[in-house]
Amino acid sequence: MKHIKIRLFQQNFSILKGISLTFYLKDVPITLKKKLFTIQPSPPLIVPPKWPPPSPPLNQEQGVTMNNNIKRKIPGVGRIGLTDYIKPPEAMHDMMDDELIWRASMVPKAKIFPFNRTPKVAFMFLARGSLPLAPLWERFFKGHEGRYSIYIHSQPSFKGDAPEEGPIFHARRVPSKRVDWGEFSMVDAERRLLANALLDMSNERFVLLSEACIPLYNFTTIYTYIMNSTKTFVESYDEWGPVGRGRYNSQMTPWVTIEQWRKGSQWFELDREIALDMITDQKYFNLFKDFCRPACYSDEHYLPTFVTMRYWWKNGNRTLTWVDWTKGGPHPTKFARTEVTRELLHQMRTGIQCMYNGEPTSMCYLFARKFLPSALDRLLKFAPKVMMFG
């Protein structure tokens, strides 16, 4: 009975709704009535395409070789892998120092390289302008491409006119800033050179040189000596006199104490680990910048102190660059044309005893300074017989 009442109610409601609609539509135009009551066809169903589109079948005959020995070609992609990333960058770029250091500090975590890598020595020249002894270095480097990199930091005032420099030195200058002797700008320049050299993933060891430096051995001998060494070479010693501890500023306590204060030669050789740590160091870098000012010379104290505090166990504690300080004064002896003899070069090569990989040796210095441009012709004359190259 209840179901019958519901049906009667639904029928009566439909009749009333139809009557109401009829009265409402009597004043509606005919065109609108057609739109209201004409059934419009449904729009076509648009199916969105799949993204990304399916890859084409692999072509085993063409493409780029992957580590899993499968060759494949992806349309629109010119390469697969690390080609651009591991390619040695140009020496000249538009990065500011902070951008350069940030970029250079990116270190891969994986210890195994997924490409053929020949470790290189980065030869970094801190120069005023050109390299007057470049012809000698060209003979030194000749035939050893792929095992070295060259970086030159010159004063910004240098206009690039260096006819004595051959092709291997072209385009090897890095963006540079003014450097003043004895000022903290020397340390800035060293870090700038290191950061540029670290951009090349194949550079493993880093040697700082000047435009007045020469090699004392041929390339193979120097390369083998550096690459096979279990130590790096930063001279560091504790000097109690006025030019040693006398330069210490007590405001550096407690971060650097007078007992930790060290002095040493500016001319260093570093491995990649220490080089990365040096360019990213802010604590000691800013400390020396604030409290080691002339007559405290940061280039003689910052790195020797830094390396001794953090890497004493892997440092050979000597420099690879021979320098003559016997005449006294703030600058080492300079060698002009007449001073360059076979005897002098032999003395530089074998004059002292030192330790190399735990064994005594007389081969302690690989480089020497300070040679004037006038010495070039004599050096070129003696190089084939004494240094065994060219």
Side-chain angles (χ1 to χ4, degrees):
M1 190 69 179
K2 183 178 179 181
H3 294 294
I4 295 174
K5 289 181 179 180
I6 292 173
R7 287 182 182 177
L8 289 174
F9 173 78
Q10 290 176 341
Q11 290 175 358
N12 293 335
F13 178 77
S14 298
I15 294 170
L16 290 173
K17 185 171 66 172
I19 296 171
S20 299
L21 185 61
T22 302
F23 281 105
Y24 171 76
L25 294 176
K26 67 179 182 178
D27 295 324
V28 176
I30 297 176
T31 54
L32 182 56
K33 292 179 181 179
K34 290 183 178 181
K35 288 183 179 181
L36 289 174
F37 294 100
T38 302
I39 298 176
Q40 300 293 333
S42 300
L45 180 63
I46 300 176
V47 180
K50 293 183 179 179
W51 188 261
S55 301
L58 293 179
N59 186 339
Q60 299 294 332
E61 301 299 327
Q62 297 178 346
V64 182
T65 303
M66 305 294 287
N67 286 340
N68 58 4
N69 295 323
I70 297 178
K71 298 180 179 180
R72 51 183 181 172
K73 186 76 172 180
I74 297 179
V77 178
R79 64 170 184 83
I80 301 173
L82 301 173
T83 304
D84 288 345
Y85 185 75
I86 64 176
K87 180 181 179 182
E90 299 293 334
M92 189 57 66
H93 52 75
D94 61 354
M95 287 185 285
M96 303 296 289
D97 280 356
D98 57 344
E99 297 172 328
L100 170 65
I101 289 175
W102 179 83
R103 174 64 183 84
S105 64
M106 295 182 180
V107 183
K109 294 290 186 180
K111 300 300 182 182
I112 300 177
F113 293 92
F115 57 92
N116 293 328
R117 177 180 181 268
T118 300
K120 295 191 293 186
V121 176
F123 292 83
M124 308 178 301
F125 291 89
L126 182 56
R128 293 178 178 85
S130 66
L131 303 179
L133 303 178
L136 178 68
W137 283 101
E138 287 175 11
R139 291 194 184 184
F140 170 78
F141 287 120
K142 186 177 181 181
H144 301 284
E145 293 76 11
R147 294 200 291 169
Y148 67 85
S149 301
I150 297 173
Y151 303 89
I152 308 171
H153 187 295
S154 298
Q155 295 283 31
S157 58
F158 176 67
K159 303 303 180 183
D161 183 19
E164 67 273 23
E165 295 178 8
I168 66 169
F169 294 105
H170 291 173
R172 298 315 305 164
R173 280 179 167 76
V174 303
S176 306
K177 292 184 179 180
R178 180 182 173 86
V179 177
D180 294 307
W181 182 84
E183 299 288 343
F184 195 77
S185 56
M186 297 280 280
V187 177
D188 274 325
E190 293 172 8
R191 282 173 35 125
R192 197 173 296 119
L193 277 166
L194 280 171
N196 278 279
L198 283 165
L199 294 178
D200 188 339
M201 300 294 293
S202 293
N203 286 333
E204 192 66 30
R205 308 296 287 245
F206 307 81
V207 179
L208 182 66
L209 303 162
S210 77
E211 74 270 30
C213 286
I214 66 166
L216 292 176
Y217 297 88
N218 60 46
F219 181 90
T220 300
T221 301
I222 290 179
Y223 179 89
T224 303
Y225 190 102
I226 291 175
M227 284 298 179
N228 290 344
S229 175
T230 59
K231 303 285 187 179
T232 57
F233 298 96
V234 177
E235 186 180 53
S236 176
Y237 56 91
D238 184 6
E239 183 172 311
W240 285 64
V243 296
R245 288 197 176 193
R247 295 174 177 175
Y248 174 76
N249 189 329
S250 59
Q251 291 180 286
M252 304 178 80
T253 306
W255 301 279
V256 176
T257 66
I258 194 168
E259 291 79 17
Q260 295 170 318
W261 183 256
R262 294 293 183 271
K263 182 183 178 180
S265 171
Q266 175 187 10
W267 313 105
F268 59 74
E269 187 279 326
L270 300 178
D271 64 11
R272 196 169 184 91
E273 180 185 15
I274 300 179
L276 280 165
D277 200 12
M278 180 183 171
I279 70 164
T280 55
D281 167 50
Q282 290 297 316
K283 178 180 177 180
Y284 300 105
F285 178 81
N286 289 324
L287 197 66
F288 275 80
K289 187 175 184 179
D290 291 339
F291 300 117
C292 182
R293 300 177 180 178
C296 176
Y297 304 112
S298 291
D299 58 290
E300 295 181 359
H301 295 282
Y302 167 66
L303 190 59
T305 302
F306 178 80
V307 170
T308 300
M309 292 179 66
R310 296 177 64 87
Y311 298 99
W312 60 268
W313 49 273
K314 66 183 300 184
N315 183 33
N317 201 28
R318 61 184 175 89
T319 179
L320 295 178
T321 302
W322 188 97
V323 182
D324 180 11
W325 290 100
T326 58
K327 295 183 179 180
H331 299 285
T333 302
K334 297 179 181 180
F335 298 98
R337 182 182 184 279
T338 54
E339 283 87 27
V340 178
T341 63
R342 291 186 183 181
E343 291 72 26
L344 175 67
L345 297 176
H346 280 300
Q347 178 188 348
M348 294 174 176
R349 286 159 53 101
T350 59
I352 66 170
Q353 291 286 316
C354 61
M355 300 296 291
Y356 175 78
N357 288 352
E359 299 291 335
T361 179
S362 61
M363 185 178 176
C364 303
Y365 296 112
L366 305 183
F367 313 97
R369 66 187 304 267
K370 194 173 187 180
F371 290 85
L372 298 176
S374 62
L376 178 61
D377 61 338
R378 302 266 296 180
L379 290 170
L380 291 173
K381 177 182 178 181
F382 295 137
K385 294 183 178 180
V386 177
M387 306 172 195
M388 299 296 180
F389 67 85

